[in-house]
Amino acid sequence: MSLFRRKPIDAPRPHGAGELARTLSWPHLVALGIGAIVGTGILTLIGVGADRAGPAVLVSFAIAGAICACAALCYAEMASAIPAAGSAYTYSYAVLGEVIAWVVGWSLILEYSLVVSTVAVGWSGYAVGALKWFGIVLPTQITAGPALGGVVNVPAVLIIGLVAALLMLGTRESARVNFALVVLKLITLALFVAVALPAFKGANLHPFAPYGFGSQTAAGGVKYGVMGAAAIIFFAFYGFDAISTAAEETKRPERDLAIGIIGSMVACTAIYLVVAAAAVGALPFTRFSDSTEPLALILRELGQGGIATIVGIAAAVALPTVLLAFLYGQSRIFLVMARDGFLPAGLARVSARGTPARITALTAVLVAIVAGLVPLDVIASLANAGTLCAFVAVAVCVLVSRRRDPGLHRPFRTPAAWIVAPLAILGCLYLFTSLQAVTQIAFIAWNALGLLVYFIYARGRASAALQGRSRF
């Protein structure tokens, strides 16, 4: 039964654990969410989605957004009821038990680490393109990993190091920079829509769904169709879960976490649909589907080279907000897992500025290695699998918690929870089946390795950590 022992919601921190500085309010959280959600998905992966679904990528965006909306409502309830750092890992530990929490935490390591790597690779594409406009051409050997004919993606590695340094400087300082860059990002997308939307042609939407609406496997294991595209576009919508990792640094977590999660999700869904409609309507999808900078390419094809330059430069400047949000979230999840004994206790140390500098630096090194060597589409697909696991866990937590602890104080309650939570679970499971077979196998292998680590190393350390803290 120790496999399913639960962590009390009010469990004390281990002796000597440092306090994170409470410096964030709901505007910071909304900006953190928008900064995390609006990024590589719309600036880079819109081309990948269009390649797999054609103009019906609009439906793919709507489906992925609807599933994420259900998951976001579940996250909002759990974050307000359990305002502690750790996101889905913490909720699973408190509601479902230790071994489930470990699997979720292990999957979150996959999600956050690979998201940072994916965005860094996407940023590298925009940055290299922006430099070309100034006559600076970097060799492929230092702008791509081995799979794409290079040696290491140096720009991707450098941007991860820069963002990590900012996070170690301080949470308040990071939030201010993030807020400014989010504003710049939204202005950039508004500029794209203002130029591309007037060029909208209905003929560009025909045939609307050239690959069908289901998920069809093609050569190489790639899945096409609306659902195949939705499974990869799903990457574009998550990010709101990073907000829940900020619980211990939020001034009023019971109220502000729900506002941040729901507010950022609603705003980003509207932004995505407008930008996607402008993109597929302005240019036939086959002309931008294989580009690493599709929005800038569309503008150049429309004869707006100057605007394309502005959009490309602004994207290169603003895209690191996604890196900041997810690297922030990953370090906080590592922090809580270290507190619980699953990881070395030394990683839980907090600096004098109230930030987990040591774990942030370690996380940056790990994700920089992946970003420097692995192609974007492979990373994004595998990151989705980890996210789907976490979303399912949180939705299950809502249902189990409602049944087991009906009296638990919930400042925010998921409306129609017995409909919304099952929809989130079923939607995520269906999206998982729409991922490439190699992605599914890799995810299963990752968690098999995780369980091996749990039984050999982490379980005993967690049991030792419990002694002297609280009874489970």
Side-chain angles (χ1 to χ4, degrees), residues 48-126:
V48 177
D51 179 61
R52 300 187 179 194
V57 69
L58 294 172
V59 180
S60 301
F61 269 105
I63 291 173
I67 293 173
C68 275
C70 292
L73 291 171
C74 295
Y75 263 89
E77 174 168 326
M78 296 310 300
S80 65
I82 307 177
S87 188
Y89 159 78
T90 294
Y91 312 149
S92 297
Y93 210 162
V95 178
L96 303 179
E98 182 176 294
V99 69
I100 303 299
W102 169 263
V103 170
V104 171
W106 191 253
S107 297
L108 286 173
I109 291 173
L110 187 72
E111 173 199 347
Y112 281 75
S113 299
L114 296 187
V115 167
V116 173
S117 301
T118 303
V119 176
V121 174
W123 177 88
S124 177
Y126 269 91

Side-chain angles (χ1 to χ4, degrees), residues 21-67:
R22 291 190 178 274
T23 58
L24 305 178
S25 55
W26 70 262
H28 297 114
L29 298 179
V30 171
L32 181 68
I34 295 176
I37 299 170
V38 179
T40 301
I42 197 65
L43 294 174
T44 302
L45 290 182
I46 187 173
V48 177
D51 179 61
R52 300 187 179 194
V57 69
L58 294 172
V59 180
S60 301
F61 269 105
I63 291 173
I67 293 173

Side-chain angles (χ1 to χ4, degrees), residues 385-396:
T387 305
L388 290 168
C389 175
F391 283 10
V392 168
V394 173
V396 171

